[in-house]
Amino acid sequence: MASKKVEMYAKKRYELDEIKNKIKEEFDKRKFSNVEFKDEIIRELGDTKTLLLIFENWFLRTGSYASLVIMLSEYQGYQSADIIATGGKEAFFSFGAEGDFAKFGEDALKNLGFQGKVR
């Protein structure tokens, strides 16, 4: 399975739950019409908060699903986001569905003031 990873960070501007809602709103505005919000895990340990979001999308061009996992963390007024998209592959060739899905997550977070890099 193919995968793509993006690491981002920002000074805190929104609560983690607000970021989740804004990401979901972005799905409604974009071409990802088959996206399903699958699950979330919230953890708070001392001064650190973490929110794990899991999305899934059916890509017709690959005939398969791709998953998008976004882990948002917050500590001392800063937030980080780790984005991993995986799947979207048929046989031995990747048709870029996982890259498109990762790019979506990256763009949604950039709109919220995050910056970062693709790994």
Side-chain angles (χ1 to χ4, degrees):
M1 231 185 291
S3 66
K4 185 79 132 191
K5 181 176 181 179
V6 181
E7 298 172 353
M8 304 182 83
Y9 60 91
K11 251 192 138 149
K12 182 179 177 178
R13 294 171 58 187
Y14 303 97
E15 294 298 323
L16 295 181
D17 208 43
E18 288 178 281
I19 295 171
K20 172 186 76 173
N21 291 333
K22 289 180 183 291
I23 290 170
K24 286 179 169 182
E25 288 171 13
E26 286 292 318
F27 278 124
D28 293 339
K29 295 179 191 175
R30 302 269 184 124
K31 64 182 176 181
F32 292 104
S33 58
N34 297 319
V35 172
E36 286 184 55
F37 175 69
K38 294 306 242 180
D39 209 349
E40 69 180 63
I41 299 171
I42 301 168
R43 296 282 185 263
E44 194 168 328
L45 301 167
D47 293 342
T48 304
K49 295 178 184 175
T50 303
L51 174 61
L52 183 73
L53 304 171
I54 302 168
F55 299 91
E56 189 174 74
N57 191 32
W58 173 258
F59 284 87
L60 184 60
R61 76 174 180 259
T62 63
S64 64
Y65 284 94
S67 296
L68 177 67
V69 177
I70 301 175
M71 184 175 71
L72 300 166
S73 301
E74 180 179 301
Y75 180 70
Q76 295 185 348
Y78 288 90
Q79 295 174 320
S80 66
D82 294 288
I83 302 166
I84 298 173
T86 188
K89 191 172 180 180
E90 185 176 271
F92 297 105
F93 303 100
S94 171
F95 293 101
E98 74 286 343
D100 290 348
F101 216 9
K103 179 79 169 118
F104 166 78
E106 180 183 8
D107 290 346
L109 288 165
K110 277 183 181 176
N111 291 340
L112 298 172
F114 281 77
Q115 43 186 302
K117 60 183 177 187
V118 175
R119 266 187 22 174

